Amino acid sequence: MLLEILLASVLGFVIYWFVSKDKEETLPLEDGWWGPGVRPTAGEDESIRPFKVETSDEEINDLHQRIEKVRLAPPLEDSRFHYGFNSNYLRKVISYWRNGFDWRKQVEILNKYPHFKTKIEGLDIHFIHVKPPQLPSGHTPKPLLMVHGWPGSFYEFYKIIPLLTDPKNHGLSDEHVFEVICPSIPGYGFSEASSKKGCNSVATARIFYKLMLRLGFQQFYIQGGDWGALICTNMAQLVPSHVKGLHLNMALILRNFYTISLLLGRRFGGLFGYTERDMELLYPFKKVFYSLVRESGYMHIQCTKPDTVGCALNDSPVGLAAYILEKFSTWTNSEFRDLEDGGLERKFSLDDLLTGIMLYWTTGTITSSQRFYKENLGQGFMANKHETMKVYVPTGFAAFPYELVHLPEKWVKSKYPKLLSYSYMPRGGHFAAFEEPELLAQDIRKFVGLVERQ
């Protein structure tokens, strides 16, 4: 007992020293060129061009032919989703994909918001830009950049957008009305992939910052989860004076002595600032640890040799669907692995899920999307300078209970000292905007209200 108290005291001193020695700093903005070949001497075309999602009979027929030729191995008895995507349920998914899913209708849905493309650092960057249909007298919309992750896309935000741009017609106050910009990460969907190595989260943050400037926004709010959380964090580290507020539903916090407290927190949770809810979400630690190991196998592949598995996934729509949709099962709720259907249709419709798959399939971007892991984690995450830096912009954090790793408020505040809002969300997992748009919209609005009142 005395030894544990001594260790906790020493750890507390180390944490204090570690936190107090950090200085406020920013990442260098720099510049980049990710297009093919040598950077042209002429200036870049900065025009913003309308874009429309399209399809064809040839594209749909090719998909159907590939689906019809699928070869599946039977699952083990009573394996459910413990071995990955259960092929018995996969047969139901691909039957609907082949016979019930209407891609042309989904393309019309995708085109209900205005799409655009513009060249930045040699890449054609795709984004949707949704303005409020109406504004209260005397109000101006608040620009909000929302960034997706993997294996997601801009489509994840389609249900939250009207809650932010048209709140009054959706039963919400019109005190805060947003103008929403959702770009596609380079190499994802309709954004051109880099031709060169090194296009990481910092480069992407800089590209999206240039996008916001090109759209005429000098100050704006930013929001993200998964890679979007890291990209938005990097943007706040690059240009903090341009970021009015940063809202996250996930964060990567590795250089943090609070994480060591996991070993002692079960007994000394109060000493480390853990609430009762934190204790429920962090322990038993063995269960949380094994869950994290179980769900991170894909990451080791994509951090090292993304092109190898990419060859298989880019050639097989069924393989691609199984690989991606498995994440929408267990990342939504790890206990869904105990269900025969992975619980997929408890939170999402097959139309929405397959639309996400089609954005990878029709653009052929699964390999380039996976390379983002190697660019960011291939040399080890701790090798990145931004991981050692704090973020000094007003920050809000929504802690969804089924996120892959729970982050207590103390952990978040150690990285984001200007944390204004920390919310324990009542339900939801990794794909917050896609799964729980109303909850996320309410938390964003609450956070922005706090920022505006400062």
Side-chain angles (χ1 to χ4, degrees):
M1 181 69 177
L2 288 175
L3 179 60
E4 290 174 328
I5 293 173
L6 178 62
L7 287 172
S9 300
V10 171
L11 184 57
F13 173 78
V14 171
I15 291 170
Y16 173 78
W17 174 83
F18 184 84
V19 170
S20 63
K21 76 182 184 69
D22 284 334
K23 296 179 180 179
E24 187 168 339
E25 57 181 330
T26 59
L27 285 172
L29 191 58
E30 298 179 340
D31 199 4
W33 173 263
W34 310 104
V38 180
R39 185 172 195 161
T41 54
E44 194 162 59
D45 177 10
E46 296 187 357
S47 63
I48 296 173
R49 313 179 310 277
F51 172 77
K52 190 175 182 180
V53 183
E54 296 179 337
T55 189
S56 65
D57 290 339
E58 181 182 9
E59 182 177 75
I60 295 171
N61 290 337
D62 175 71
L63 170 70
H64 288 172
Q65 289 170 14
R66 290 172 185 262
I67 290 175
E68 289 164 359
K69 293 179 180 179
V70 67
R71 296 190 309 167
L72 295 178
L76 295 174
E77 295 176 3
D78 196 35
S79 59
R80 292 160 288 176
F81 264 57
H82 285 269
Y83 283 68
F85 206 105
N86 188 290
S87 58
N88 284 341
Y89 177 65
L90 184 57
R91 290 186 186 279
K92 175 189 174 182
V93 173
I94 60 180
S95 174
Y96 178 75
W97 199 0
R98 172 62 182 87
N99 303 306
F101 180 73
D102 187 343
W103 176 230
R104 291 189 185 279
K105 176 184 174 183
Q106 296 305 116
V107 165
E108 291 179 8
I109 292 172
L110 289 173
N111 284 322
K112 77 175 182 177
Y113 294 133
H115 293 247
F116 303 90
K117 284 190 175 185
T118 188
K119 281 277 186 183
I120 304 177
E121 298 192 8
L123 300 178
D124 236 359
I125 299 300
H126 161 264
F127 62 99
I128 58 173
H129 185 178
V130 187
K131 299 180 180 181
Q134 57 187 3
L135 277 171
S137 177
H139 282 58
T140 56
K142 297 173 176 65
L144 172 64
L145 177 79
M146 304 188 78
V147 186
H148 67 88
W150 188 93
S153 69
F154 65 91
Y155 182 61
E156 290 179 34
F157 300 116
Y158 266 48
K159 291 180 181 177
I160 197 174
I161 285 173
L163 306 179
L164 298 169
T165 59
D166 191 18
K168 192 169 185 179
N169 284 329
H170 291 83
L172 300 171
S173 164
D174 59 5
E175 179 184 4
H176 304 296
V177 181
F178 297 89
E179 183 171 343
V180 177
I181 300 92
C182 301
S184 296
I185 297 171
Y188 286 67
F190 301 113
S191 275
E192 185 178 358
S194 173
S195 294
K196 296 174 172 58
K197 296 184 288 185
C199 188
N200 58 17
S201 62
V202 176
T204 303
R206 184 179 61 238
I207 288 170
F208 290 170
Y209 163 63
K210 291 179 178 180
L211 171 63
M212 295 301 279
L213 293 184
R214 193 169 293 182
L215 291 172
F217 303 119
Q218 289 296 321
Q219 284 197 314
F220 41 85
Y221 289 94
I222 54 180
Q223 199 284 330
D226 197 85
W227 283 129
L230 182 59
I231 291 165
C232 289
T233 292
N234 291 159
M235 192 183 300
Q237 293 167 324
L238 285 166
V239 288
S241 62
H242 292 266
V243 177
K244 288 193 71 175
L246 165 67
H247 187 278
L248 305 172
N249 54 277
M250 180 182 166
L252 295 171
I253 302 176
L254 300 180
R255 180 186 176 267
N256 181 344
F257 279 103
Y258 279 109
T259 56
I260 301 174
S261 67
L262 278 172
L263 303 176
L264 296 170
R266 188 72 182 266
R267 180 167 293 186
F268 300 105
L271 179 65
F272 299 110
Y274 293 172
T275 66
E276 183 177 343
R277 184 59 173 150
D278 292 330
M279 299 291 284
E280 292 172 357
L281 296 170
L282 287 173
Y283 297 98
F285 177 67
K286 183 178 179 180
K287 177 183 177 182
V288 174
F289 176 77
Y290 282 140
S291 178
L292 189 59
V293 170
R294 184 177 58 245
E295 295 302 327
S296 60
Y298 81 99
M299 185 184 296
H300 298 287
I301 296 173
Q302 294 174 193
C303 287
T304 53
K305 299 178 180 180
D307 285 29
T308 304
V309 68
C311 291
L313 301 177
N314 201 47
D315 190 58
S316 168
V318 175
L320 178 68
Y323 193 75
I324 289 179
L325 293 184
E326 181 236 306
K327 309 307 178 196
F328 281 89
S329 166
T330 51
W331 291 6
T332 298
N333 186 329
S334 63
E335 295 177 4
F336 283 176
R337 72 187 187 281
D338 294 328
L339 304 174
E340 294 291 343
D341 62 357
L344 275 171
E345 294 175 74
R346 293 190 177 194
K347 291 287 188 173
F348 313 106
S349 71
L350 285 181
D351 280 340
D352 282 341
L353 291 170
L354 289 171
T355 297
I357 301 302
M358 291 295 284
L359 289 173
Y360 282 91
W361 175 254
T362 59
T363 58
T365 52
I366 186 59
T367 303
S368 52
S369 74
Q370 292 175 154
R371 288 176 185 155
F372 206 63
Y373 282 80
K374 186 169 180 65
E375 302 299 2
N376 286 290
L377 303 172
Q379 302 301 318
F381 192 64
M382 299 298 284
N384 299 315
K385 181 182 178 182
H386 60 78
E387 174 53 28
T388 68
M389 295 171 53
K390 294 186 177 184
V391 179
Y392 291 93
V393 304
T395 303
F397 191 86
F400 284 85
Y402 292 106
E403 182 55 272
L404 294 170
V405 179
H406 172 67
L407 299 179
E409 184 174 356
K410 284 280 188 181
W411 293 18
V412 179
K413 199 159 190 173
S414 71
K415 175 78 173 182
Y416 305 87
K418 294 188 176 181
L419 184 69
L420 299 184
S421 171
Y422 180 96
S423 306
Y424 294 102
M425 308 306 285
R427 59 185 180 276
H430 185 71
F431 303 98
F434 202 39
E435 180 190 351
E436 296 289 350
E438 293 86 1
L439 289 180
L440 185 61
Q442 289 168 8
D443 202 67
I444 293 170
R445 289 164 53 81
K446 180 183 77 172
F447 164 66
V448 169
L450 292 173
V451 175
E452 297 287 325
R453 286 194 292 272
Q454 276 194 322

